[in-house]
Amino acid sequence: ALLASSALHYYVGRRDALSHTTAMGSLIVIVGVMLLLLLGIFTQIAIWAGLFKMLGEFEFFADAFYHSAVNFATLGYGDIVMSRAHRLLGPLQAVNGVLMIGVATAVLMATLQDTMRKRLQSDHK
């Protein structure tokens, strides 16, 4: 929810200016939304990695972050497997990743469509 709301808040704060801006200005707003969404995704990956490290599954945070990213993106390489006690966290994180990537895609598409509509309306004036 924080991921979507912060990206939408950023966009809404700049939405009115879109009808008076250049194509480059619109692109900058869309890139800002995309960067906020990516920051939210990487933050979630880092939180999961912290949990994995806290549970003692990984000695190094970098390994936990890599494993977390693989789970989040549902890649499932299988090169690193967690212990039996915590292996159910992998599929739970994958479900979380699918949902959050879907939310990020929906937010990005909504802002892109709204930006395009505003640009087309301002071009026809």
Side-chain angles (χ1 to χ4, degrees):
L2 264 169
L3 163 74
S5 64
S6 59
L8 286 171
H9 184 274
Y10 168 83
Y11 178 73
V12 168
R14 285 143 189 85
R15 187 173 184 256
D16 291 336
L18 288 174
S19 39
H20 308 296
T21 190
T22 64
M24 183 57 77
S26 298
L27 179 65
I28 290 170
V29 171
I30 294 298
V31 168
V33 169
M34 192 179 317
L35 289 174
L36 283 170
L37 293 169
L38 284 172
L39 177 65
I41 286 172
F42 285 129
T43 300
Q44 289 178 68
I45 290 170
I47 290 168
W48 279 96
L51 173 66
F52 297 158
K53 185 153 178 13
M54 185 183 75
L55 291 172
E57 288 293 326
F58 298 96
E59 183 178 353
F60 302 106
F61 184 78
D63 292 335
F65 190 88
Y66 165 77
H67 182 72
S68 178
V70 168
N71 285 344
F72 198 87
T74 69
L75 293 172
Y77 287 148
D79 55 341
I80 300 176
V81 180
M82 293 199 306
S83 70
R84 234 180 193 344
H86 302 119
R87 69 179 173 189
L88 187 58
L89 291 175
L92 289 174
Q93 186 187 13
V95 169
N96 175 232
V98 167
L99 291 172
M100 290 301 98
I101 291 170
V103 166
T105 301
V107 168
L108 186 60
M109 286 307 300
T111 58
L112 183 61
Q113 288 173 338
D114 190 59
T115 300
M116 290 175 66
R117 187 173 60 254
K118 285 200 159 294
R119 292 286 310 141
L120 288 173
Q121 287 172 351
S122 77
D123 287 348
H124 285 114
K125 287 183 179 179

